[in-house]
Amino acid sequence: MGMNDDQLSAAEHDAMRSRLMAGTKRIKPAGAHRRAIITSTVAVVLVAGLAGTAIGAANVLRMGEATEPISTPTSTPTPTATRSATPSLTPTATAAPPERVVTAPSSRFAFDCDDVAADVAVFFDGQVPPVASALPRSAGGASWVAGPAQFAFAQAGALYCEYGTSGMGSTGWATVTLVPDAAGAVEDRQQTLGSGDSCEGGSPCELFDGAFVEVVGQPRTGFDDPALQTAAGSTAVEAVRERVRGSQISPRSWTPPTGTSPVSGDCSAVLPTTRLEAILGVSGIETGNPDGGWSIKAWMISDFWGATPCFYREGGADLWTAADYGSVTWLPGGEWAYREAVSGEQIPLPGSAPTDAATALCQPDELNACIVDVLADGNWVRYTMPISVPENDRSRVAAEVASAIIDTVGS
């Protein structure tokens, strides 16, 4: 059983995965036959409406009382004129909106990443490794920041567990991905790569008891020995398989925050090119989707949640030379994840709803200048700013991008 994902080397696997997780352009590897990832019909529509019920109250007409007739010895009683009726309006009562509820999802398996750590100890010379993070992050080093694509697993009740730091070397690393009710993932993989249910093609994954099971990694000892890699992978896969076999998979129970509006479709549903052109002072921006083989991570965010990541680039130019104008990833209903993972400087949002928020985290590296995280109508949206934005203009761009996303998602 080979240890490379989809016939990629370890380094290529990491590069491809990291670029997707960061929301940037992914490069199609040599020999990979992959269609552009599009939003599938399996996309989950998350709709929770705010209902208000108007209780009509009838107008009460307050009639004047007639005075008692006055009698005299010489005249017949003459009734006084009755006062005209004067209506009085009763205020219309309106039912209060439902209380806003935001809940964090839980694993649908009867175990979590801490338990699975024992199953991948073979990659670490038999020692049980610490979990890289209780909630998933992008592997590849501290410069990567956990984003919507990683948290999409937890929101589905799935497990995405990382141990060690992915990369070449003898420190050892492992990643275990378990997705319940994932027949669609295997079917999509087969359509894309032409492989069967057992995930032939170099990746140790399979559909087992209805769950997609994938284990990849490099052993600490013999990391450069293919035979030892295969043996370690086989041992780990069998251990994980046994854990899944002994687990009761619970039904899906997570629901999006109260009042969340659905965010589905392409980039225009999140950040229209016209708005971004005005913000960046450019014209002719085109959008595209990541490409480059198949991965369970791409399937989860694109097909399961209907939120295919997209990048913005110079229109009409070659892919390799086109100017980069950033990228967008998002997680429908991911408010819980936003509050768990997002850090950075708060961005003021005058006039926005109290439940909306935005932050900017600027840690320049070779890929981006800043990450703008936006909480819009219960959805978590991330814009990765291109490094071409001048440092003295990043605050303005971040604020205007956040406002544009909130205006679009909330419309």
Side-chain angles (χ1 to χ4, degrees), residues 164-371:
T165 300
S166 176
M168 298 301 293
S170 58
T171 59
W173 64 270
T175 300
V176 177
T177 308
L178 301 172
V179 182
D181 303 330
V186 174
E187 292 171 0
D188 186 65
R189 188 181 193 278
Q190 181 176 0
Q191 292 173 3
T192 303
L193 303 177
S195 57
D197 288 354
S198 59
C199 299
E200 291 97 349
S203 177
C205 61
E206 64 178 336
L207 187 67
F208 183 79
D209 281 2
F212 183 90
V213 178
E214 181 183 69
V215 180
V216 294
Q218 286 184 329
R220 177 179 298 172
T221 300
F223 67 93
D224 56 350
D225 186 332
L228 291 177
Q229 290 184 17
T230 299
S234 298
T235 300
V237 167
E238 181 59 31
V240 172
R241 185 188 295 118
E242 287 301 311
R243 190 174 296 278
V244 172
R245 181 183 288 115
S247 170
Q248 182 72 30
I249 300 178
S250 60
R252 291 185 62 187
S253 60
W254 179 84
T255 56
T258 305
T260 296
S261 298
V263 183
S264 59
D266 55 21
C267 306
S268 62
V270 178
L271 179 60
T273 56
T274 53
R275 293 292 297 268
L276 188 59
E277 287 174 344
I279 293 170
L280 298 181
V282 299
S283 61
I285 294 180
E286 290 184 351
T287 59
N289 301 124
D291 193 10
W294 187 94
S295 73
I296 186 62
K297 302 162 194 65
W299 180 86
M300 175 58 68
I301 193 70
S302 298
D303 291 68
F304 190 93
W305 290 114
T308 301
C310 57
F311 54 80
Y312 299 80
R313 67 186 182 194
E314 177 186 7
D318 181 81
L319 175 64
W320 304 104
T321 61
D324 175 27
Y325 297 124
S327 61
V328 164
T329 56
W330 75 94
L331 181 59
E335 180 171 344
W336 72 275
Y338 176 96
R339 301 194 182 282
E340 289 279 358
V342 168
S343 62
E345 182 178 351
Q346 294 290 326
I347 299 175
L349 299 171
S352 64
T355 54
D356 294 337
T359 64
L361 179 64
C362 297
Q363 295 180 334
D365 59 25
E366 72 278 8
L367 291 177
N368 62 77
C370 299
I371 292 173

Side-chain angles (χ1 to χ4, degrees), residues 39-65:
T39 304
S40 78
T41 57
V42 198
V44 179
V45 179
L46 306 175
V47 181
L50 289 176
T53 304
I55 303 175
N59 293 334
V60 179
L61 300 181
R62 186 165 56 89
M63 303 298 295
E65 295 179 355

